[in-house]
């Protein structure tokens, strides 16, 4: 036996390992992905298609099932209105992104409380669909990287969940701060698709806790749907989301950094202002640190000095969506209008009636908020809506939203825009009791009709 073989060699390996610990070398971490669609209903097809597309990306970059958590109502793929049962696409003539997607949380388990419990690794707080389901959470540690992608409707200071609850900005940021304090990640990347999504982080997310986030819009504008499909009768994707995913598929993610993808997506998404928040130094890190599972080696052919090739059929760079962009607030009405224009059948009259009913409903909601603002402030609704104040009176916002939903109607993709008016009233010093009283009065006089049922 030579000095460098057998037992002496094993001793040397152990010594090197011990020396690494002495010198403070950090053990290698792993990667987690949390993918959430916060809506339901066929007219919201695009959110679940977005999330399924994101699932395909992280799977193809090596994430094992156990390190991906998906939350989606799962009422689209086999919806009676879907002409291709079991198939969801995220772009015209695109692949089936629903194929093989493992759904961890569906239906009423898609709640704000579950979202926060899953994100923070709190198994005991998770509510599951059936008694024998084992709660699945982000079980991350101090050396792990976490990727969170959320797609849904939003308003100022909140985003909607599929069970009808809301995830509020304060609660989300407090959860992220708590995770950082508890050393539940090394770094965390958060991509958010929603109207007014910038308000979820604006002035709230610290710049020193290892979190880097981008949003589809700033705190006072809508995000935009894209890719209307005449066969399916709905929109297939969202501009911001399609752009970051198509860019990921078209790039070498070992080379492209978070900041570089932010700039690409910001420049392509000219319908809204894509925003960036959190710890800016993370922007120099490659996308692969978050979107590729640690230790994964691509099975695809490589060239250009070992650079990985795009993982799916995609343009060499993502294509600008030059048309077919629709304000997310207007998607239900736009779907009705487009179905009406395409229809040659007996349902044309019913579609016309539905369009008129939806427009009347919107006028009614506008009137409620106009009268509420007039009673609560010297300003007109248009002036209040022209002002953006990041939410700080979080308790007032929660109470006012709860009151509107109890007295008037559930906030939906259209009426959520008036959360800006609620936030501004709260920030002006109008108390929640006064706002609640006005909503109770206004909606007792003229109840809000229910939204159109799309299935």
């Amino acid at each position: 036996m030579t000095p460098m073989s057998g037992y002496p060699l094993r001793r040397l390996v152990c010594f090197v390992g011990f020396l690494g610990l002495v010198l403070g070398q950090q053990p290698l971490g792993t990667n987690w992905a949390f993918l959430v669609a916060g809506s339901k209903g066929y007219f919201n097809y695009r959110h679940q298609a977005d999330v399924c597309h994101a699932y395909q990306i992280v799977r193809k970059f090596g994430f094992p099932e156990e390190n991906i958590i998906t939350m989606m109502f799962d009422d689209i793929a086999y919806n009676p209105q879907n002409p291709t049962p079991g198939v969801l696409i995220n772009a015209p003539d695109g692949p089936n992104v629903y194929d093989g997607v493992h759904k961890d949380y569906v239906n009423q388990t898609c709640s704000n409380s579950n979202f926060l419990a899953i994100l923070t690794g709190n198994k005991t707080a998770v509510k599951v669909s059936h008694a024998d389901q084992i709660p699945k959470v982000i079980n991350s540690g101090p050396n792990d990287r976490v990727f969170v992608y959320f797609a849904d409707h939003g308003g100022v200071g909140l985003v909607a969940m599929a069970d009808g609850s809301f995830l509020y900005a304060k609660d989300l940021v407090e959860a992220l701060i708590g995770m950082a304090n508890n050393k539940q990640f090394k770094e965390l990347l958060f991509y958010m698709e929603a109207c007014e999504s910038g308000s979820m982080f604006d002035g709230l997310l610290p710049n020193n806790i290892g979190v880097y986030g981008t949003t589809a819009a700033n705190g006072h504008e809508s995000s935009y749907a894209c890719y209307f499909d005449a066969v399916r009768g709905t929109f297939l994707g969202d501009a911001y989301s399609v752009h970051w995913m198509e860019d990921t598929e078209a790039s070498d993610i070992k080379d492209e950094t978070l900041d570089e993808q932010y700039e690409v997506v910001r420049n392509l998404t000219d319908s809204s202002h894509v925003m960036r928040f959190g710890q800016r130094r993370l922007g120099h890190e490659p996308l692969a640190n978050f979107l590729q599972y640690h230790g994964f080696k691509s099975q695809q052919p490589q060239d250009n000095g070992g650079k990985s090739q795009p993982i799916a059929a995609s343009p060499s760079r993502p294509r600008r969506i030059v048309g077919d962009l629709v304000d997310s607030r207007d998607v239900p009405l736009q779907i009705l209008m487009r179905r009406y224009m395409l229809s040659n059948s007996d349902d044309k009259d019913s579609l016309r009636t539905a369009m008129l009913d939806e427009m009347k409903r919107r006028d009614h909601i506008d009137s409620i908020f106009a009268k509420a603002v007039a009673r609560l402030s010297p300003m007109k609704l248009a002036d209040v809506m022209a002002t953006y104040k990041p939410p700080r009176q979080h308790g007032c916002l929660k109470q006012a939203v709860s009151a509107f939903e109890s007295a008037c109607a559930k906030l939906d993709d259209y009426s959520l825009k008036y959360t800006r008016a609620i936030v501004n009233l709260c920030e002006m010093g109008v108390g929640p009791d006064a706002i609640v009283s006005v909503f109770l009065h206004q909606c007792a006089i003229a109840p809000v009709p229910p939204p159109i049922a799309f299935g």
Side-chain angles (χ1 to χ4, degrees), residues 10-20:
R10 288 196 299 273
R11 280 194 355 192
L12 179 61
V13 170
C14 291
F15 173 74
V16 170
F18 173 75
L19 184 62

Side-chain angles (χ1 to χ4, degrees), residues 350-368:
S350 63
L351 286 168
R352 183 176 181 276
T353 300
M355 282 191 293
L356 293 174
D357 288 345
E358 175 63 9
M359 288 187 281
K360 289 178 183 177
R361 181 176 179 275
R362 289 176 172 220
D363 289 343
H364 189 75
I365 292 170
D366 296 343
S367 175
I368 287 173

Side-chain angles (χ1 to χ4, degrees), residues 237-256:
D238 293 283
Y240 160 86
S241 294
V242 166
H243 282 142
W244 81 254
M245 286 187 276
E246 289 188 356
D247 177 67
T248 298
E249 293 174 331
S251 305
D252 181 358
I253 66 169
K254 295 193 298 295
D255 281 350
E256 185 172 5

